[in-house]
Amino acid sequence: MTLLEFKDLRVTYRGSRGRLPAVRGVDLAVDAGETLGIAGESGCGKSTLAMAVLRLLPKSAEVSGQILLDGEDLLAMGWGRLRAVRWTGASIVFQGAMHSLNAVQRIGRQIAEPILVHEPKTTPAQAAKRAEALLERVGLPPSRARSFPHELSGGQRQRVMIAMALACDPDLLIADEATTALDVMVQAQVLRLISDLVRERGVGLVMISHDLSVLSAVCDRAAVMYAGRIVEQGPAHEVFAQARHPYSAALGAAFPVIGDPAARMHPGGLAGDPPDPLRLPEGCSFRPRCAVAVERCGAESPELLEVGAARVSACFVAQEGMPVVG
């Protein structure tokens, strides 16, 4: 059953330089109990996509299309209904836990707050007990409920954010670069925790990262974004290991295989910089950085089409069955 669906979602920011298109016609779906990873460089539109789900974008953002949660359009909801859906229908784990937590309130009170807001019959004492149970579930001692955010490590604060996101048993969890600022060992622990919680609770998960290797280890499917569009989608391990778009291949090549002396990062990396959204190139947006571009790439913008079983790619070369690595 489809839990979350984006239909031709477009987000444009109004600024001093003009209208900046951040998300350009995204179509995606996430089933209940499924994990979808979204990868791409900074500025490709990943976080804008996540923030659009619960309408957390700034006033300068113009949004069109549809975002359906359990068949209900989030963009068409009144503020009262949207407020009821936040935390209970969908919740977000942000990247910067220290900036997302209130520095002058104890951890337990912050976890209990959404419970008290959305479940008015729950007493403060009951909410406090649930907060302690949630902390224990994410691997922290219940006594941490009395701590302030600055008394916790980065990994502990991220666990608190996960506990808070799960406080009202949402159907959908969005993790926006939730492990980026953590060291490798803590990152592995948090990823394992998220995977276990998703499996046990049967929630849908959208995990946003620039790291395809992380998504391939955690997610069922992966979608790769470039310049505001989805350029490839398919089973996460296949998108990482057997990319069908040159940009996905470049992202995958940026990570060496640990323990394999024959594996090396791409010697030249990915040449060039992402395009200026205000001056996107003609045809395929990736063409100026692409090693396998053909003449057609400069004249037409490729659509997202099937290139194999459960695989789609917005690349003329891949659609013709040719290798996407130069």
Side-chain angles (χ1 to χ4, degrees):
M1 185 180 100
T2 301
L3 174 63
L4 177 71
E5 187 173 8
F6 297 94
K7 290 188 175 182
D8 193 29
L9 182 69
R10 298 175 184 272
V11 180
T12 302
Y13 292 110
R14 301 184 307 274
S16 58
R17 296 176 59 204
R19 293 164 54 81
L20 188 152
V23 175
R24 304 185 295 134
V26 165
D27 293 289
L28 271 178
V30 184
D31 290 339
E34 182 185 32
T35 57
L36 171 70
I38 301 177
E41 292 171 286
S42 296
C44 72
K46 307 185 304 296
S47 292
T48 293
L49 198 67
M51 301 287 272
V53 173
L54 291 179
R55 287 163 57 180
L56 299 173
L57 296 170
K59 292 181 179 179
S60 61
E62 298 175 352
V63 185
S64 66
Q66 289 183 304
I67 304 176
L68 305 178
L69 182 64
D70 276 332
E72 193 173 1
D73 189 358
L74 291 160
L75 299 181
M77 285 181 181
W79 282 109
R81 175 58 181 151
L82 179 64
R83 187 171 183 267
V85 167
R86 289 174 175 172
W87 297 101
T88 58
S91 59
I92 298 180
V93 181
F94 295 103
Q95 176 179 352
M98 191 62 191
H99 303 296
S100 302
L101 294 169
N102 189 325
V104 297
Q105 286 193 7
R106 298 183 190 276
I107 293 301
R109 181 176 178 181
Q110 295 188 57
I111 297 174
E113 183 177 1
I115 298 174
L116 293 171
V117 168
H118 291 280
E119 301 175 23
K121 293 184 179 179
T122 302
T123 67
Q126 291 171 331
K129 283 190 176 180
R130 281 175 57 179
E132 291 181 354
L134 283 162
L135 285 173
E136 195 168 18
R137 182 63 196 89
V138 298
L140 292 175
S143 59
R144 278 302 189 184
R146 296 185 290 278
S147 300
F148 290 97
H150 72 271
E151 297 177 308
L152 277 61
S153 69
Q156 289 174 328
R157 287 193 293 267
Q158 206 63 49
R159 290 169 184 264
V160 169
M161 290 298 297
I162 295 170
M164 191 181 302
L166 295 171
C168 296
D169 291 316
D171 298 317
L172 175 71
L173 180 65
I174 301 171
D176 185 8
E177 302 277 12
T179 62
T180 298
L182 307 178
D183 64 58
V184 175
M185 294 301 294
V186 175
Q187 182 186 71
Q189 294 169 4
V190 172
L191 289 173
R192 191 178 307 114
L193 170 63
I194 291 174
S195 298
D196 291 345
L197 290 171
V198 168
R199 184 175 60 254
E200 291 170 11
R201 291 175 174 245
V203 303
L205 171 68
V206 176
M207 176 170 279
I208 294 171
S209 176
H210 62 275
D211 190 338
L212 261 178
S213 62
V214 165
L215 300 185
S216 69
V218 175
C219 299
D220 302 318
R221 288 190 300 122
V224 179
M225 285 191 76
Y226 187 79
R229 295 185 62 204
I230 302 296
V231 296
E232 181 174 0
Q233 186 183 164
H237 66 283
E238 292 183 16
V239 172
F240 176 60
Q242 300 170 337
R244 301 305 308 275
H245 191 283
Y247 178 61
S248 307
L251 287 181
F255 299 93
V257 179
I258 304 300
D260 183 358
R264 293 290 184 269
M265 289 188 292
H266 193 282
L270 181 57
D273 297 311
D276 183 343
L278 294 173
R279 291 187 291 272
L280 292 173
E282 294 291 329
C284 176
S285 298
F286 187 64
R287 177 183 54 81
R289 307 173 73 187
C290 184
V292 297
V294 295
E295 185 176 351
R296 186 182 178 189
C297 300
E300 302 175 47
S301 180
E303 295 181 18
L304 202 60
L305 300 177
E306 273 192 29
V307 291
R311 301 289 298 277
V312 291
S313 173
C315 175
F316 293 128
V317 175
Q319 290 165 10
E320 292 173 4
M322 304 293 288
V324 297
V325 180

